[in-house]
Amino acid sequence: MKSADPASERSTDRPSITALDCPTPVRSSPRLELVRERLDALLLSTDAVARRDADPVSFVHRYARAEDREVVALIAASLAFGNVVAIRGKVALVLKALGESPAATIDRESREALETRLHGFVHRVWRGPDVAAMLANAGVIRRDHGSLGAAFATGLRACDAEIEDQDEAFVEALARLADALRGEDASRGLRHLVPDPRAGSACKRLLLWLRWMIRPADGVDLGLWPVSPSRLVIPVDTHVHRIAKNLDLTRRNDASLRTAAEITSKLRTFDANDPVRYDFAICHLGVSRECPSRRDAARCETCVLKEACRHWQRDARKLR
């Protein structure tokens, strides 16, 4: 999640996304079919609503209005870094400071007023002024476009018209929205809070926000933005990366945007219209520590993915 150059050095008309090597479309195979079968079983065995209660997305579901939900989702996803208990505590502090309607607060208040509300806030490397600046810029975007979702959808249409490859267009649209959320002369903390997808990091928190907002409402994700879920890229953190490697969805060792694109290209062979539908279940399996990075007879014995795991499939190559 490293930040890139200051916002003043970025240009929204850059000719291409050098951070993303869009993979060649993947064809299905017996090996991938086994992985798909096991991931479908994982979905069926995951009590998503119960697990949601311990997930930062639970804050989003506390609000009824779409405008509050997209703002709360931005806050919860952006702060989703570190221990989940600490994350939930910090998200709760920000939401308390913003009052009954976070969207109404950021729409009407200045950056200075938001800094006052968040005075003394600290979470990892971020401070109150970093979060206040992001929210003030989000308020500007909402006033200009009506909603953050409308801004992203408009930007995506523009990128689709400019860039032939759809995956590159999607990442560029996300990069432009991130530019707007940082604004000019962003602090180091703000550049870390809202990373630049062009720099190559997995941008897990930004992609998580988009997943919540774009995927169809299923009790976890909310389906609020007018963008096809087929365009999404899986949010990759250490947990998702570990399990993706276990399933041979990637052989890459870095949790980068290239790795996220490679994993997503495999998932599209399972469901081209909704490739990241497995993300919540995979992530929570990883967070539970029930899926290790090597053979562990005790922990792996009851794992629904064991049959497709490379650590337990010495003859997996024969299936390809």
Side-chain angles (χ1 to χ4, degrees):
M1 300 179 192
K2 298 295 183 183
S3 58
D5 299 331
S8 59
E9 297 179 13
R10 299 187 188 94
S11 170
T12 56
D13 60 358
R14 294 174 70 162
S16 65
I17 306 261
T18 57
L20 178 61
D21 288 337
C22 298
T24 302
V26 177
R27 294 183 178 181
S28 187
S29 66
R31 170 66 174 151
L32 282 176
E33 283 301 305
L34 176 60
V35 173
R36 179 195 59 76
E37 176 190 309
R38 292 294 85 209
L39 284 175
D40 285 342
L42 176 65
L43 276 183
L44 289 173
S45 67
T46 300
D47 186 341
V49 174
R51 288 186 178 272
R52 186 189 76 187
D53 292 341
D55 190 278
V57 75
S58 63
F59 288 98
V60 187
H61 288 269
R62 298 178 185 179
Y63 293 79
R65 300 192 307 167
E67 54 263 41
D68 286 321
R69 285 181 161 188
E70 70 169 13
V71 172
V72 173
L74 172 64
I75 295 165
S78 297
L79 296 179
F81 181 39
N83 178 276
V84 68
V85 175
I87 291 168
R88 289 177 58 82
K90 297 301 182 178
V91 172
L93 282 176
V94 173
L95 295 179
K96 181 178 180 180
L98 294 178
E100 183 178 349
S101 174
T105 298
I106 73 166
D107 286 351
R108 71 171 182 263
E109 294 197 0
S110 66
R111 176 172 173 174
E112 291 73 19
L114 291 172
E115 285 186 7
T116 298
R117 285 179 177 267
L118 295 171
H119 178 72
F121 176 83
V122 178
H123 178 47
R124 305 296 291 246
V125 300
W126 308 315
R127 302 293 185 269
D130 302 322
V131 179
M134 177 187 73
L135 294 176
N137 291 331
V140 172
I141 297 169
R142 284 177 44 78
R143 290 192 293 273
D144 289 345
H145 294 271
S147 72
L148 297 170
F152 180 72
T154 299
L156 181 58
R157 287 193 296 271
C159 290
D160 281 338
E162 298 167 11
I163 301 171
E164 183 176 356
D165 187 279
Q166 284 200 341
D167 286 340
E168 286 192 1
F170 180 84
V171 175
E172 176 63 19
L174 177 57
R176 293 181 186 183
L177 180 59
D179 286 345
L181 288 169
R182 281 188 299 272
E184 297 183 356
D185 302 320
S187 67
R188 182 177 181 181
L190 180 53
R191 286 184 280 121
H192 188 280
L193 182 64
V194 186
D196 186 347
R198 302 182 189 101
S201 78
C203 291
K204 174 255 182 178
R205 291 172 288 117
L206 284 174
L207 291 172
L208 181 63
W209 177 40
L210 265 58
R211 196 205 85 201
W212 291 349
M213 294 294 93
I214 293 171
R215 278 205 69 252
D218 63 356
V220 176
D221 300 319
L222 295 106
L224 295 178
W225 287 4
V227 176
S228 170
S230 67
R231 305 296 297 274
L232 290 169
V233 176
I234 191 169
V236 172
D237 60 9
T238 57
H239 306 298
V240 172
H241 186 213
R242 179 175 72 253
I243 294 175
K245 288 188 70 176
N246 287 352
L247 297 177
D248 281 333
L249 294 175
T250 183
R251 293 294 183 90
R252 296 180 61 87
N253 291 320
D254 59 327
S256 66
L257 193 57
R258 290 188 179 96
T259 299
E262 181 174 279
I263 295 168
T264 304
S265 70
K266 300 280 183 67
L267 295 178
R268 285 197 176 112
T269 68
F270 307 157
D271 190 338
N273 295 320
D274 189 9
V276 305
R277 68 190 183 98
Y278 301 101
D279 177 57
F280 183 82
I282 292 173
C283 182
H284 277 263
L285 177 64
V287 170
S288 71
R289 301 293 180 183
E290 294 173 9
C291 185
S293 56
R294 58 180 60 86
R295 291 169 69 108
D296 184 319
R299 284 194 288 172
C300 296
E301 180 60 30
T302 60
C303 180
V304 71
L305 299 180
K306 180 179 177 182
E307 186 179 350
C309 179
R310 66 187 176 92
H311 298 299
W312 295 91
Q313 290 293 307
R314 298 184 184 280
D315 297 326
R317 291 182 180 178
K318 296 178 181 179
L319 296 172
R320 293 195 181 107

